[in-house]
Each structure stands twice: as structure tokens, then as C-alpha cells.
Amino acid sequence: MSEYRSGLGWDSHRIAAGRPMKIGGVVIECEFGLEGHSDADVLAHAITDAILGAACLGDIGMHFPDHDARWKDADSMQLLEHAVALSRQAGWELVHIDSTVILEKPKLKEYRERIRLRLAQSLSLTQDRVSVKFKTAERVGPVGEGRSAEAQAIATLRR
Ligand code: C5P
Ligand code: MG
């Protein structure tokens, strides 16, 4: 009989002018972006932590520390792929991802299929096993005031 585990991931990045906005490996057309040591892909980071969490392998900062020059301006999709590889080495198979990006603007729904496809590639999953949802924060709090973006994810692993 298979054993299943779930892992939860969350991330937040400050919004800043003159920065790219990358969500799940897809560049979003926007006059502002997300600030961070890496490419600040808030969704990739949340999913990475969800996978590490399900496999009880620590968190993103443990595997890819901020102060480590190797990961400076790193492509977060590579970190995500590395987390999948680590979970596989520990005997786990990823079966499903659900996620939510909380961002006041721009609207992301036109990007949904592109993001799902790009994530599915890095996760070695079919697109029907990758769910990506979007929400505003109803103009309340740092996300609602357009000062930051957040992402939440849950990963399901099987062995
Ligand atoms: O936050 P709210 O419930 O108003 O969002 C309504 C819908 O707008 C969401 O279900 C989602 O499809 C879309 N949305 C989006 N991009 C965002 C926020 C919300 O496409 N940044
Ligand atoms: Mg992050």
C-alpha cells in the first residue's frame, strides 16, 4: 500500500520598480517586479518548500542559503528541480501540487496555462497534476496595498 504525505509552503516578496516579475518560471509583463536575492519567483519558492516539507527535508534556506554566492540571481526553477531530485532520492514520488498566488495586480489568469506548463516541466509532472490559483487581497494589508506578493502551495508525495 502507498504512503502519502503532504507538505505546505509559503513565501512572500516585496514589490519593487525596475525588477522582473517571474511567477512559476514565467515572466509577467508588468512595470514593477519582485525584490529578492534570487529571481524572487515567489511561487517557485512556495512550491519548493512544500516539496521539502512533505519529504521532511528542511526548507529552502537550508538548501539554498541567501549568503551563498552560488545561488545569487539563481533561477528559482533550478532550485525547484533540485528539491524534486532530493525528494526522489529520499524515495518519494511527487503526485500533485496545488497553489495560490496572492497579488493585487496585474491579473495573472491569462498566464495560468503557461505557468502550469512551465511548472509541470520542472516538476516532471503532467499539467493536470499542477494547479495554480490567483487571488487579490481585496486592497487590504501589504499585499492589498501593492507592496508585496505572496504564494502558498501544498505538495502531495507518494511512496
Ligand atoms: O481576489 P478575487 O477573489 O477578487 O479574485 C477573483 C479572481 O481574479 C480570481 O479567482 C482569479 O481568477 C483572478 N485573479 C487574477 N490575478 C490576480 C488576482 C486575481 O487573475 N492577481
Ligand atoms: Mg522567496
Side-chain angles (χ1 to χ4, degrees):
M1 216 174 81
S2 296
E3 178 186 0
Y4 285 87
R5 285 199 190 166
S6 304
L8 181 68
W10 176 87
D11 195 29
S12 167
H13 280 267
R14 194 186 286 268
I15 284 175
R19 285 279 305 177
M21 184 177 296
K22 234 175 154 192
I23 304 280
V26 174
V27 177
I28 309 298
E29 258 182 74
C30 190
E31 65 273 24
F32 49 82
L34 302 176
E35 206 172 81
H37 183 75
S38 66
D39 60 7
D41 187 333
V42 68
L43 179 57
H45 295 173
I47 296 174
T48 300
D49 257 359
I51 292 165
L52 293 173
C56 290
L57 288 171
D59 61 27
I60 195 168
M62 186 181 128
H63 296 281
F64 316 107
D66 268 4
H67 53 78
D68 190 334
R70 263 188 315 166
W71 304 112
K72 171 105 177 81
D73 295 320
D75 180 342
S76 296
M77 298 302 278
Q78 285 176 283
L79 312 193
L80 180 61
E81 286 165 28
H82 189 65
V84 174
L86 289 172
S87 70
R88 204 173 284 135
Q89 280 162 28
W92 295 100
E93 178 200 2
L94 179 63
V95 293
H96 181 258
I97 294 288
D98 187 21
S99 65
T100 305
V101 178
I102 309 113
L103 179 71
E104 204 62 23
K105 56 183 186 186
K107 279 277 185 275
L108 295 173
K109 57 187 170 199
E110 281 73 29
Y111 292 91
R112 190 187 328 263
E113 296 316 310
R114 257 180 285 168
I115 293 171
R116 291 179 71 205
L117 179 64
R118 181 66 194 85
L119 285 170
Q121 286 167 347
S122 280
L123 296 166
S124 300
L125 284 178
T126 50
Q127 208 173 321
D128 65 321
R129 290 174 181 269
V130 182
S131 160
V132 180
K133 310 186 301 301
F134 310 112
K135 288 299 280 183
T136 69
E138 298 289 349
R139 289 180 278 128
V140 177
V143 178
E145 291 162 9
R147 292 190 281 120
S148 64
E150 293 182 5
Q152 302 173 339
I154 187 158
T156 304
L157 306 188
R158 170 174 59 202
R159 75 166 158 203

